[in-house]
Amino acid sequence: MRKNIVAGNWKMNKTLQEGLALATELNESLAGVTPNCDVVIGTPFIHLASVAAAIDTNKIAVAAQNIADKDSGAFTGEVSAAMVKSTGASYVILGHSERREYYGETSETLNKKVTLALANGLTPIYCCGESLEIRNANTQNDFVKNQLDETIFNLSADDFSKLAIAYEPIWAIGTGVTASTAQAQDMLQFIRSIIAAKFGADIAQNTSILYGGSCNAKNAAELFSQPDIDGGLIGGASLKAADFKAIIDAF
Ligand code: 13P
């Protein structure tokens, strides 16, 4: 059976001290509790090792928000998959629309990043999702299919079965405009159907597919009640322990 996952994406927020305080508060709020989902927090690189050391990583997994598309070597400023893994992190968020839009990440780079993540034992949370323009033209399914075709659908079935997917429509990110439950369910059902066509029904049934975009404590329970929505990738509402815990509790 596929896992339910609630993953936070802190983006470029929190100093090291603030991040440690947030992670510790979340860790304490989960003491003695067995959540009905896997819990992941995606911190900036510099927080990874300290956060992983400060929390129970069996209960809260730690994610990076990016990795280099190279193994190692003279690539100033980059951080490799092996380095991320060595901090105690076990996930990496890849292909976020902010990285595609502001840092020019292409399908070609993302292919390499996904492959390196998997080769180093990190679980990718692979992001996809369309702009408002594409949604208004009603071509979102073709667009998302193309994003997957060019990247993770090139993987072997064995590798593909190790990752999770997050559908994040760009128009819902940080806007307070959540996709309707029907819009989110329809897209995730579509994604699962194209996984089934490519890799077979078993792998499709076992792939965790998350929704992201203005997901919060108020709308999480309804979103998570949908048959194809296996959790959320949470931005703003992951920056306060109580808000994030309330989303975890929505399962
Ligand atoms: P918000 O939850 O702030 O809309 O961000 C979603 C997101 O981009 C998570 O990766």
Side-chain angles (χ1 to χ4, degrees):
M1 250 328 261
R2 58 185 184 257
K3 290 192 257 190
N4 292 324
I5 302 174
V6 171
N9 176 6
W10 292 2
K11 308 192 180 184
M12 196 174 73
N13 291 295
K14 306 285 178 191
T15 63
L16 177 58
Q17 291 73 22
E18 290 165 351
L20 268 172
L22 170 58
T24 306
E25 191 184 345
L26 182 67
N27 193 54
E28 278 163 10
S29 75
L30 290 175
V33 177
T34 305
N36 293 320
C37 58
D38 283 14
V39 178
V40 182
I41 49 178
T43 80
F45 285 131
I46 63 146
H47 300 55
L48 292 172
S50 311
V51 164
I55 62 175
D56 176 0
T57 50
N58 291 318
K59 194 169 273 183
I60 306 173
V62 182
Q65 300 170 17
N66 183 27
I67 49 169
D69 63 346
K70 306 280 194 309
D71 242 327
S72 66
F75 302 103
T76 301
E78 290 293 298
V79 176
S80 73
M83 292 174 190
V84 166
K85 180 72 181 176
S86 75
T87 65
S90 52
Y91 281 81
V92 58
I93 299 165
L94 288 174
H96 194 283
S97 57
E98 288 152 15
R99 294 218 52 88
R100 294 180 194 255
E101 186 176 346
Y102 308 140
Y103 301 97
E105 289 202 347
T106 61
S107 296
E108 196 188 348
T109 353
L110 287 168
N111 246 323
K112 292 183 190 150
K113 292 186 179 194
V114 170
T115 305
L116 282 165
L118 290 166
N120 285 280
L122 293 170
T123 300
I125 299 176
Y126 182 81
C127 304
C128 57
E130 80 288 351
S131 64
L132 187 58
E133 200 183 0
I134 289 166
R135 171 63 62 166
N136 286 340
N138 200 26
T139 53
Q140 65 275 5
N141 287 13
D142 287 347
F143 181 85
V144 168
K145 180 173 185 298
N146 192 47
Q147 282 185 324
L148 302 179
D149 273 339
E150 288 184 348
T151 53
I152 53 175
F153 280 6
N154 292 325
L155 295 169
S156 68
D158 188 43
D159 273 350
F160 183 86
S161 63
K162 293 178 186 144
L163 55 73
I165 295 174
Y167 166 64
E168 297 203 309
I170 296 168
W171 45 272
I173 295 177
T175 57
V177 180
T178 319
S180 70
T181 308
Q183 285 172 322
Q185 163 59 23
D186 285 355
M187 177 57 86
L188 269 56
Q189 185 178 43
F190 170 70
I191 292 172
R192 202 176 302 286
S193 76
I194 57 177
I195 297 170
K198 175 82 189 166
F199 295 106
D202 276 1
I203 288 184
Q205 281 311 314
N206 285 319
T207 303
S208 298
I209 313 179
L210 317 182
Y211 166 77
S214 301
C215 185
N216 58 40
K218 288 206 178 80
N219 56 34
E222 189 181 325
L223 286 162
F224 298 170
S225 71
Q226 298 302 300
D228 287 290
I229 302 183
D230 306 319
L233 183 55
I234 320 296
S238 72
L239 295 174
K240 287 202 181 118
D243 293 352
F244 192 55
K245 169 77 164 41
I247 297 173
I248 294 166
D249 289 344
F251 265 119

